């Protein structure tokens, strides 16, 4: 087994190194497949010059412009137009701000420049370094924003992998207090990570699906978090069995028989939940499904084959200095978890009513939360130059800060569409642009600032007006329309995917526990836990961290992970409770199950929460919000719901929790 996996890891490593080459972070990769704005981007690629690209340059001298500043702007424009522009001889249209502190111009880019936005942005900034002292220059606009975002994404995977490895290693050392044991799960999870990245790369070559930097980052977190959880659970059961079996291989076989079904059910729940994302319309969400499923699949295979083989080869000495001895029964009856079980048994109703009331109160934090995260507020720490420049333009040019929208019309309807655009309330200006065989481009300048309520209303009116004129022969897109489509599609996806995830999880729990009541109770507690965590995090993001909004995909991603992973811990608990209930009855079985699994499940929950919390160290608000939401939700679920609420509800319902199985009729 070890030889097979070492060979697979070597092969996977060669493929894993190619994963970055297929990772895509273009705007279309984060948009809904069926949205008008996505179709506009695709239509633009067929126009002369290809996809539209634009550099916007803003100059600022806070104390007021001085002689020579405008000449510097003209020189900069001439050099940039010569290198990257569509018309090097076009005279510059340099606009000064009303307060006399800023200058601005926009430069349309040629096809080659659009294809190399990172190089073009860097070269433009180097060109503009030649300017008078005290005059600030900012390269911004859609091309520069995309380049700065790509630069941030490029550094995510390496930084995240290192931070996650360090965090998991520290937590394993604290958990096992052994100089050797912590290395075994860490090495095994490393093998799983390499294999999963290789599998994902292979899948991209076989099937046409998108892998983004977001899904690549979440793949690393999932493999490390879930893989370490499986390791903790298996080691705990293996340690128990070493007290009963002389040979490590016999103890491991018994541990796999005991813990294996729960681990497989846990992994199956997460994989099934992830595959539900395939029903989503948003490209970045839909692609997360197969990527995450491949990661969980690799993790569970490695932790149930390679990891046990490695433990057996190393023998009992791997636990040094706390080596489990044959015939010395592991003591759990006097543990803190046994005492907690006795306390919950005496206060059963209080044990589930009070926590659920608290979580319901926290869920009220979702009321009045900030709206969707604006495009210019995506960066968690210091904003890049493109964002600083865009915000400068908003502040200095309040009457000209409208972001262009793009209307694509069939050639035979372009004049009628242009007339409909011009008479739409909220449109400041509109003109025909490039024309191809299939589409004509109309550039539209709205009156209101980007992503404002006024601009959103204008986009909706514009779509309705042009649809009445040309039906399906016209499309409305542009950056603000993309954000609108993304937010609306996320809402639609939530309404579709969330119930689908719940149905899948309920079905798996029903098959595993052979009951109906228990799955309903477990899923209900996890859903309440999710909304409590979401409400608490909304307050944290808004009042403490000062984020400008909640990224629209975060609630769905958070729901998936918190429901699927939260149910995991309930699976680990309730499968052991059912095992004990067969022999000791439901109440005593619940206390015994909590005593046996409480420590290891709590350790697993803390490890998983810490692993997702690593995302908070990254410079993107979206990943920070996902990391904090999942970490907070996992801790709530592990420390409160699984430790108190679920045992209290189980003991309150008694044998009825197992209805309609035979166990429900037991005394």
């Amino acid at each position: 087994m070890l030889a097979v996996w070492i060979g697979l890891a070597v092969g996977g490593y060669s493929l894993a190194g190619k994963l970055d080459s297929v990772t895509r972070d273009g705007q279309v990769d984060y948009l809904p497949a069926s949205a008008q704005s996505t179709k506009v981007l695709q239509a633009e690629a067929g126009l002369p010059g290809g996809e539209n690209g634009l550099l916007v340059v803003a100059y600022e001298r806070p104390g007021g412009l001085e002689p020579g500043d405008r000449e510097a702007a003209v020189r900069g424009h001439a050099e940039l137009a010569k290198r990257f522009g569509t018309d090097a001889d076009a005279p510059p249209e340099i606009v000064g701000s009303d307060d006399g502190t800023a200058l601005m111009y926009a430069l349309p880019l040629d096809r080659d420049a659009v294809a190399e936005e990172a190089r073009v942005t860097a070269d433009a900034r180097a060109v503009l370094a030649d300017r008078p002292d005290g005059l600030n220059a900012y390269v911004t606009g859609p091309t520069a924003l995309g380049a700065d975002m790509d630069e941030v994404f490029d550094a995510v995977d390496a930084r995240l992998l290192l931070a996650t490895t360090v965090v998991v290693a520290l937590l394993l050392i604290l958990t096992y207090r052994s100089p050797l044991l912590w290395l075994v799960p860490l090495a095994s999870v490393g093998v799983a990570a390499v294999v999963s990245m290789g599998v994902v790369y292979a899948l991209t070559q076989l099937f046409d699906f998108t892998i983004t930097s977001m899904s690549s980052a979440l793949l690393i977190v999932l493999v490390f978090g879930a893989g370490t959880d499986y390791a903790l659970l298996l080691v705990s059961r293996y340690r128990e069995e070493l007290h009963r079996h002389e040979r490590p291989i016999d103890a491991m076989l018994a541990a796999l028989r005991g813990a294996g079904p729960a681990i497989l059910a846990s992994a199956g729940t997460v994989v099934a939940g992830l595959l539900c994302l395939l029903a989503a319309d948003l490209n970045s969400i839909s692609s997360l499904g197969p990527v995450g499923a491949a990661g969980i699949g690799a993790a569970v295979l490695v932790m149930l084959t390679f990891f046990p083989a490695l433990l057996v080869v190393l023998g009992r000495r791997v636990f040094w200095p706390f080596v489990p001895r044959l015939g010395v029964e592991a003591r759990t009856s006097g543990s803190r978890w046994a005492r907690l079980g006795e306390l919950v048994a005496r206060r059963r109703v209080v044990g589930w009513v009070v926590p659920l009331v608290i979580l319901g109160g926290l869920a009220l934090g979702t009321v009045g939360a900030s709206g969707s995260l604006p495009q210019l507020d995506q960066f968690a720490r210091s904003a890049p130059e493109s964002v600083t420049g865009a915000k400068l333009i908003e502040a200095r040019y309040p009457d000209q800060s409208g972001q262009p929208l793009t209307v694509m019309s069939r050639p035979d309807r372009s004049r009628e569409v242009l007339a409909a655009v011009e008479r739409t309330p909220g449109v400041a200006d509109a003109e025909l642009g490039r024309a191809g065989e299939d589409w004509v481009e109309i550039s539209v300048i709205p009156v209101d600032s980007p992503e404002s309520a006024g601009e959103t209303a204008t986009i909706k009116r514009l779509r309705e007006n042009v649809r009445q004129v040309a039906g399906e022969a016209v499309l409305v897109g542009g950056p603000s329309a993309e954000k609108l489509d993304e937010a609306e599609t996320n809402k639609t996806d939530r309404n579709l995917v969330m119930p689908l995830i719940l149905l899948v999880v309920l079905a798996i729990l029903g098959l595993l526990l052979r009951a109906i009541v228990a799955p309903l109770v477990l899923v209900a507690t996890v859903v309440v836990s999710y909304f409590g965590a979401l409400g608490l995090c909304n307050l944290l993001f808004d009042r403490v961290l000062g984020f400008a909004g909640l990224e629209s995909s975060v609630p769905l991603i958070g729901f998936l992970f918190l429901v699927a992973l939260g149910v995991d811990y309930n699976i680990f608990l309730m499968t052991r409770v059912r095992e004990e209930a067969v022999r000791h009855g439901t109440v005593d079985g619940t206390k015994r199950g909590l005593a046996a699994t409480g420590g290891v499940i709590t350790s697993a929950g803390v490890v998983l929460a810490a692993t997702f919390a690593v995302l908070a160290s990254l410079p993107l608000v979206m990943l920070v919000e996902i990391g904090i939401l999942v970490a907070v939700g996992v801790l709530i679920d592990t420390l409160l719901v699984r430790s108190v609420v679920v045992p209290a509800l189980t003991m309150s319902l008694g044998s009825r929790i197992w209805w309609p199985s035979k166990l429900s009729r037991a005394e």
Side-chain angles (χ1 to χ4, degrees):
M1 187 60 68
L2 292 176
V4 168
W5 274 112
I6 289 171
L8 289 173
V10 171
Y13 184 79
S14 64
L15 295 178
K18 301 177 181 179
L19 187 60
D20 281 345
S21 66
V22 296
T23 300
R24 302 186 310 209
D25 291 305
Q27 189 61 27
V28 71
D29 300 314
Y30 287 86
L31 289 174
S34 63
Q36 284 194 42
S37 55
T38 308
K39 295 176 181 178
V40 166
L41 289 173
Q42 295 166 345
E44 279 185 331
L47 294 178
E51 185 180 335
N52 202 3
L54 188 71
L55 277 184
V56 180
V57 178
Y59 294 86
E60 180 197 32
R61 189 182 291 275
L65 296 172
E66 296 181 356
D69 289 348
R70 179 172 286 272
E71 287 74 11
V74 171
R75 289 196 306 273
H77 179 279
E79 182 62 25
L80 294 180
K82 178 182 176 182
R83 294 191 183 196
F84 314 121
T86 56
D87 185 358
D89 298 324
E93 296 184 11
I94 299 176
V95 182
S97 63
D98 292 339
D99 63 1
T101 63
L103 299 167
M104 176 186 72
Y105 59 80
L107 180 72
L109 300 176
D110 64 22
R111 179 188 290 268
D112 293 337
V114 171
E116 298 185 67
E117 62 182 14
R119 178 186 65 82
V120 169
T121 301
D123 288 354
R125 287 167 178 164
V127 167
L128 299 181
D130 181 19
R131 61 181 186 272
D133 292 339
L135 180 65
N136 301 318
Y138 304 97
V139 177
T140 182
T143 297
L145 281 167
D148 286 340
M149 182 65 77
D150 287 344
E151 183 178 356
V152 171
F153 273 130
D154 288 343
V156 162
D157 282 355
R159 181 175 175 178
L160 183 62
L161 183 60
L162 176 61
T164 304
T165 302
V166 171
V167 167
V168 170
L170 288 174
L171 289 171
L172 287 172
I173 291 171
L174 292 173
T175 300
Y176 290 135
R177 294 170 293 163
S178 167
L180 179 60
L181 182 56
W182 66 275
L183 283 169
V184 183
L186 187 64
S188 301
V189 171
V191 170
V194 168
V195 171
S196 66
M197 288 189 282
V199 169
V200 170
Y201 173 77
L203 289 175
T204 63
Q205 304 306 298
L206 295 173
F207 304 101
D208 183 24
F209 73 89
T210 303
I211 176 169
T212 65
S213 290
M214 180 192 75
S215 54
S216 178
L218 291 175
L219 171 67
I220 294 171
V221 171
L222 271 175
V223 172
F224 270 83
T228 305
D229 278 3
Y230 303 151
L232 289 168
L233 292 159
L234 187 58
V235 167
S236 175
R237 193 64 179 254
Y238 178 49
R239 191 196 295 268
E240 284 184 41
E241 299 298 337
L242 283 171
H243 290 285
R244 306 185 185 107
H245 298 84
E246 180 178 358
R247 296 197 310 162
I249 192 168
D250 294 331
M252 180 56 72
L253 289 172
L256 286 171
R257 283 193 295 270
I263 292 174
L264 284 171
S266 164
T269 303
V270 180
V271 167
L274 282 161
L275 292 180
C276 289
L277 295 181
L278 289 170
D281 189 31
L282 202 68
N283 288 334
S284 56
I285 298 296
S286 178
S287 68
L288 179 59
V291 172
I296 294 295
V300 74
L301 283 176
V302 169
M303 304 319 285
L304 289 181
T305 54
F306 175 79
F307 179 58
L310 195 54
L311 284 174
V312 169
V313 167
L314 294 172
R316 293 176 185 267
R317 59 187 176 274
V318 75
F319 289 92
W320 186 87
F322 305 103
V323 180
R325 290 183 293 172
L326 182 65
V328 180
E329 189 66 26
R331 297 182 62 187
T332 59
S333 59
S335 71
R336 71 188 68 175
W337 296 103
R339 293 194 295 273
L340 177 61
E342 294 292 344
L343 177 62
V344 172
R346 292 195 299 270
R347 300 286 188 272
R348 300 176 191 180
V349 176
V350 173
W352 62 266
V353 170
V354 172
L356 292 181
V357 169
I358 292 172
L359 291 173
L362 290 176
L364 294 176
T366 59
V367 178
S370 300
S372 182
L373 186 72
Q375 185 181 28
L376 296 182
D377 294 296
Q378 298 179 74
F379 299 90
R381 294 174 184 83
S382 57
E385 181 179 314
S386 57
V387 171
T388 304
K391 290 189 173 181
L392 169 67
I393 292 171
E394 285 186 359
R396 296 290 186 271
Y397 299 87
D399 296 332
Q400 302 180 48
S401 61
Q403 189 166 238
L405 300 172
T406 302
V407 175
M408 304 295 288
S409 170
R410 295 297 183 186
D412 59 331
R413 311 300 297 272
S414 59
R415 293 295 174 184
E416 299 169 76
V417 170
L418 177 61
V421 170
E422 290 175 330
R423 62 174 178 263
T424 299
V427 171
D429 187 33
E431 60 180 11
L432 289 170
R434 298 174 296 169
E437 292 184 5
D438 299 318
W439 296 100
V440 173
E441 181 182 65
I442 301 173
S443 180
V444 181
I445 305 297
V447 172
D448 299 288
S449 59
E451 298 179 53
S452 63
E455 189 202 39
T456 298
T458 298
I459 294 171
K460 292 180 178 179
R461 285 193 298 266
L462 188 59
R463 284 178 167 170
E464 178 61 24
N465 288 350
V466 296
R467 187 189 65 82
Q468 292 178 358
V469 170
E472 300 298 320
V474 63
L475 304 166
V476 177
S480 293
E482 292 163 8
K483 292 294 290 185
L484 175 61
D485 288 340
E486 183 181 346
E488 291 184 344
T489 304
N490 265 303
K491 183 177 179 180
T492 303
D493 285 347
R494 287 197 297 271
N495 293 337
L496 171 64
V497 176
M498 284 183 174
L500 186 59
I501 291 171
L502 291 179
L503 288 173
V504 168
V505 170
L506 277 170
I508 292 174
L509 285 174
L511 292 172
L512 179 68
L513 298 176
R514 286 162 281 175
I516 294 175
V517 174
L520 290 171
V521 169
L522 296 181
V523 168
T525 60
V526 172
V527 170
V528 172
S529 176
Y530 163 75
F531 282 107
L534 183 62
L536 178 60
C537 288
N538 266 324
L539 296 174
L540 179 64
F541 298 152
D542 188 30
R543 307 290 174 83
V544 179
L545 299 178
F547 293 159
L550 187 68
E551 210 284 333
S552 56
S553 63
V554 169
L556 176 55
I557 295 175
F559 182 85
L560 165 68
F561 290 147
L562 289 180
V563 169
L565 297 173
V567 165
D568 275 4
Y569 299 126
N570 288 322
I571 287 174
F572 299 142
L573 171 65
M574 293 302 286
T575 51
R576 186 60 178 262
V577 167
R578 195 181 196 285
E579 181 182 328
E580 299 289 346
V582 172
R583 298 191 296 268
H584 304 286
T586 299
V587 173
D588 283 345
T590 301
K591 291 189 285 187
R592 288 172 176 268
L594 183 61
T597 64
V600 64
I601 294 178
T602 300
S603 297
V606 170
V607 168
L608 185 65
T611 305
F612 269 93
V614 172
L615 291 172
S617 67
L618 300 178
L620 291 171
V621 170
M622 173 183 65
L623 293 177
V624 172
E625 290 180 338
I626 292 173
I628 292 177
L629 175 59
V630 176
V632 169
V634 166
L635 290 176
I636 289 174
D637 197 78
T638 303
L639 301 178
L640 182 62
V641 174
R642 190 269 315 161
S643 300
V644 178
V645 176
V646 170
L649 282 168
T650 301
M651 287 188 276
S652 294
L653 290 168
S655 60
R656 290 169 293 182
I657 192 81
W658 310 115
W659 186 85
S661 70
K662 291 181 180 179
L663 192 56
S664 67
R665 296 185 289 275
E667 292 294 334

